[in-house]
Amino acid sequence: MSSRSQTIADILTRAIIDHRLVPGCKLGERELAEIFDVSRIVVRQALIRLADDGLAQIERNRGAFVAKPSMQEAMEIYDALTLVEQGVAAQLSDRLGPAGWAELRQHVERQRHAVAAGNDALADVLGQEFHTVFVRLSRNKVMQEIHAQLVRRTTLLRSLITADFDYCNLLDDHSRVVDLLEKGRLKQAMDLIDTHHRSVVRGYIMDREVFPEMTPAEALAPYLEAKADGATASVAPRKPAKTSGPAKTSGPAKTSGNSDGATAHLHVHLPKKDPVPTSRAASKKTNRGLPT
Amino acid sequence: MSSRSQTIADILTRAIIDHRLVPGCKLGERELAEIFDVSRIVVRQALIRLADDGLAQIERNRGAFVAKPSMQEAMEIYDALTLVEQGVAAQLSDRLGPAGWAELRQHVERQRHAVAAGNDALADVLGQEFHTVFVRLSRNKVMQEIHAQLVRRTTLLRSLITADFDYCNLLDDHSRVVDLLEKGRLKQAMDLIDTHHRSVVRGYIMDREVFPEMTPAEALAPYLEAKADGATASVAPRKPAKTSGPAKTSGPAKTSGNSDGATAHLHVHLPKKDPVPTSRAASKKTNRGLPT
DNA sequence: AAATCATTGATTGATATCCAATCTTGTGTT
DNA sequence: AACACAAGATTGGATATCAATCAATGATTT
């Protein structure tokens, strides 16, 4: 078992890439310490890890916040991701054996089935996973870790944007990349990777200031069930009073059953049905306004 | 200023890439805490940063050690570095303006002069710096940070090898890469980058188990001069001081692959001066005795 | 009343001390 | 010699405390 700070960093990472903790959200040491029932020091170590990973930013004497990348940084992240995946593509076009191509095709097929079945959530996850599988086939752990970090950051970015992707198109891109690569048309494959990412970035609109916001306690509760086994179950209210905001619509995003327990929080972007009334609109200035 | 754990992490990073702390070297919390005159917790946070950077590895209940990458990992690191630099090369061949090409040529010239002057140490630093300048011209900070981290890890690797490079050849490679790129011969430039790194890896012999080893106290002494301002060596009272203030410039500086590794700590493999086995300061705080 | 200044409160950065778990070592026993 | 076991050392973590800084007040001045 790894250290506790690593465990907590992992949970926070999950919560961030699940979009339960949104950019700009304050990550107070004392608050998190109470939520996880550990000392502040462990929380601090976890926050250091998150900051090193680019998912949080720590401001001296002001605390840690979920990172809120600028548009500039967003483009840099996608450029870097493109660069990495193009490089991997070049390597694979030389070195990948039949088993590798089969794995890629199989993955694309799985996603295609998910799309056909209307399971958008699964399709979204598989769509992201494709890139990970792709890089894994390079058999370079260092590269995998770099890529995984970039993917986490792009996932964070998707909290800031209008995620209105056309899964069919993106899926088709995956399929075509595999085809082109296997046929040795490296240049075209690399161009397609570039286009693929650009098509994602193009949809970005970062000036929206409205997020469905949860307090960290609400956001993190699902991940704690495993730990707070049975009895003590509901993590919730140790100290209800202070938690920053007024209790917003407690049901963050319906998610109906939310049965998925610990592992499967794959929250997809919901269309803008906006069940949340505009109550928050003028209510107060939340701490989401970031410096810079 | 940034946090103390960051400062200490920076110093340790410098010491590692200067080859003063060699792979496998134990980084004991208490020992480092006394050396830097901080609490163990700050040291621990610094070690977490190093581990996240790949320069140290932490084993539960056993402590932290300077990372000792395997041959496999070494090759992966160089593969990743090649991939990144090839990608940057592709970008630069499209986008770089005359000023950029001039900067690259100027850098190559500086190294050429250093070689001509027989200043191997400077030539070595400039040789590494070339790659950093190269990537900086991509104007992608994310990419720069990834690259800088890879460079740090390759520098660490050089503690494990017979560093018997042919500077002239490597320098010539730099020059030729610039030439090829500016002429638009991207493919050849990328191949040369690959060859360049492979020629470095080829010289690696990792099974040597004998290192010139210093105790951390010896290894880190040079970096502490700046901190012990004014009063220098003297007793260094622990409680009142806290001199957060005046440190400033001469300090440890940011690690980011910035130039000027030239702070004179150029890894020269020291002669095997028999290390005093246990004679190390048993006293507590006073052991910051200055070098020499 | 508006603007400025000062006090208060809360949060972070950091230290010291203590404790439990685990690893290492050295010794004693068979 | 091999094994077991006790002692010591080190790490991981908790708690309590303190100083410095930032945020939000409230009081004062114009």
Side-chain angles (χ1 to χ4, degrees), chain B residues 213-234:
Chain B
E213 193 159 342
M214 279 179 278
T215 68
E218 293 167 355
L220 295 169
Y223 305 96
L224 299 176
E225 300 175 19
K227 279 186 77 173
D229 47 48
T232 51
S234 61

Side-chain angles (χ1 to χ4, degrees), chain B residues 77-279:
Chain B
I77 290 170
Y78 269 99
D79 265 8
L81 191 65
T82 300
L83 191 153
V84 166
E85 294 191 359
Q86 285 178 333
V88 171
Q91 291 191 348
L92 292 188
S93 76
D94 285 345
R95 312 208 279 248
L96 192 59
W101 297 115
E103 184 174 353
L104 285 174
R105 292 195 182 289
Q106 184 180 344
H107 194 97
V108 170
E109 273 315 302
R110 279 210 291 154
Q111 188 184 355
R112 202 188 301 280
H113 287 149
V115 170
N119 190 344
D120 279 2
L122 180 58
D124 190 33
V125 172
L126 289 175
Q128 293 220 30
E129 203 181 288
F130 174 83
H131 297 255
T132 302
V133 172
F134 189 74
V135 173
R136 189 188 332 134
L137 291 172
S138 76
R139 302 207 172 271
N140 183 324
K141 290 220 177 76
V142 174
M143 209 67 250
Q144 282 173 51
E145 184 46 47
I146 290 172
H147 181 260
Q149 180 173 331
L150 286 171
V151 168
R152 284 194 291 270
R153 294 174 78 173
T154 63
T155 310
L156 164 67
L157 289 175
R158 294 170 80 176
S159 289
L160 286 169
I161 66 161
T162 65
D164 190 21
F165 300 119
D166 180 343
Y167 293 110
C168 296
N169 253 347
L170 294 182
L171 171 58
D172 212 43
D173 283 349
H174 292 175
S175 182
R176 281 167 57 205
V177 164
V178 177
D179 286 340
L180 288 171
L181 278 180
E182 199 170 14
K183 285 182 197 156
R185 310 183 76 93
L186 176 58
K187 181 65 165 55
Q188 286 173 268
M190 288 174 71
D191 285 347
L192 182 53
I193 289 172
D194 189 35
T195 308
H196 180 76
H197 286 140
R198 284 187 199 284
S199 78
V200 175
V201 174
R202 206 177 5 249
Y204 277 29
I205 302 173
M206 304 199 62
D207 48 3
R208 46 163 54 185
E209 279 294 324
V210 182
F211 304 119
E213 193 159 342
M214 279 179 278
T215 68
E218 293 167 355
L220 295 169
Y223 305 96
L224 299 176
E225 300 175 19
K227 279 186 77 173
D229 47 48
T232 51
S234 61
V235 254
R238 188 188 303 234
K239 2 244 305 304
K242 286 215 179 121
T243 71
S244 61
K248 81 167 75 292
T249 55
S250 65
K254 54 312 220 23
T255 61
S256 89
N258 195 347
S259 67
D260 184 1
T263 52
H265 292 302
L266 302 180
H267 64 305
V268 182
H269 284 211
L270 324 182
K272 170 85 181 201
K273 164 189 174 183
D274 176 50
V276 275
T278 52
S279 72

Side-chain angles (χ1 to χ4, degrees), chain A residues 77-114:
Chain A
I77 290 170
Y78 268 99
D79 265 8
L81 192 63
T82 300
L83 191 155
V84 166
E85 293 191 0
Q86 283 178 334
V88 171
Q91 290 190 349
L92 293 187
S93 77
D94 285 345
R95 312 209 279 248
L96 193 59
W101 299 115
E103 184 173 353
L104 285 175
R105 292 194 183 289
Q106 184 180 346
H107 195 97
V108 171
E109 273 315 301
R110 279 210 292 155
Q111 188 185 355
R112 201 188 302 280
H113 287 149

Side-chain angles (χ1 to χ4, degrees), chain A residues 4-254:
Chain A
R4 271 207 233 203
S5 61
Q6 183 63 63
T7 303
I8 292 176
D10 289 343
I11 293 177
L12 289 174
T13 298
R14 260 240 87 84
I16 290 173
I17 69 179
D18 285 346
H19 302 163
R20 297 181 64 83
L21 290 172
V22 300
C25 177
K26 174 79 186 285
L27 300 171
E29 290 185 4
R30 188 177 306 276
E31 188 177 5
L32 294 178
E34 288 179 5
I35 290 172
F36 291 110
D37 195 29
V38 295
S39 71
R40 270 176 57 207
I41 291 173
V42 175
V43 170
R44 188 117 118 238
Q45 290 164 353
L47 292 175
I48 287 174
R49 291 187 146 104
L50 282 195
D52 279 353
D53 226 41
L55 294 182
Q57 75 182 84
I58 298 175
E59 299 176 29
R60 183 171 175 86
N61 285 321
R62 293 202 356 101
F65 306 82
V66 177
K68 192 174 180 181
S70 64
M71 191 64 195
Q72 167 72 19
E73 191 175 350
M75 288 191 296
E76 291 185 2
I77 290 170
Y78 268 99
D79 265 8
L81 192 63
T82 300
L83 191 155
V84 166
E85 293 191 0
Q86 283 178 334
V88 171
Q91 290 190 349
L92 293 187
S93 77
D94 285 345
R95 312 209 279 248
L96 193 59
W101 299 115
E103 184 173 353
L104 285 175
R105 292 194 183 289
Q106 184 180 346
H107 195 97
V108 171
E109 273 315 301
R110 279 210 292 155
Q111 188 185 355
R112 201 188 302 280
H113 287 149
V115 170
N119 191 343
D120 279 2
L122 180 58
D124 189 35
V125 171
L126 289 175
Q128 291 220 31
E129 206 179 287
F130 175 82
H131 297 256
T132 301
V133 171
F134 189 74
V135 173
R136 192 194 321 137
L137 290 172
S138 76
R139 302 205 171 271
N140 183 326
K141 290 219 177 78
V142 174
M143 209 65 251
Q144 282 173 50
E145 184 46 48
I146 290 173
H147 181 260
Q149 182 174 330
L150 287 170
V151 168
R152 283 193 291 271
R153 294 175 77 174
T154 62
T155 309
L156 165 66
L157 289 175
R158 294 171 79 178
S159 290
L160 286 170
I161 66 162
T162 66
D164 190 21
F165 300 119
D166 181 343
Y167 293 110
C168 295
N169 254 346
L170 295 182
L171 171 57
D172 213 43
D173 283 349
H174 293 175
S175 182
R176 282 167 57 206
V177 164
V178 176
D179 286 342
L180 289 171
L181 278 180
E182 199 169 12
K183 286 182 195 153
R185 309 180 80 99
L186 175 59
K187 180 65 164 55
Q188 287 173 268
M190 288 173 71
D191 285 346
L192 181 53
I193 289 172
D194 189 34
T195 307
H196 180 77
H197 286 140
R198 283 186 200 284
S199 76
V200 174
V201 173
R202 206 177 3 248
Y204 277 30
I205 301 172
M206 305 198 61
D207 48 2
R208 48 163 49 183
E209 280 293 324
V210 181
F211 303 118
E213 191 162 337
M214 281 179 275
T215 67
E218 293 167 354
L220 295 169
Y223 307 97
L224 299 175
E225 297 174 12
K227 276 183 75 174
D229 39 283
T232 57
S234 62
V235 213
R238 179 179 306 216
K239 231 173 167 196
K242 205 69 210 290
T243 57
S244 66
K248 17 216 97 169
T249 66
S250 62
K254 85 303 160 255

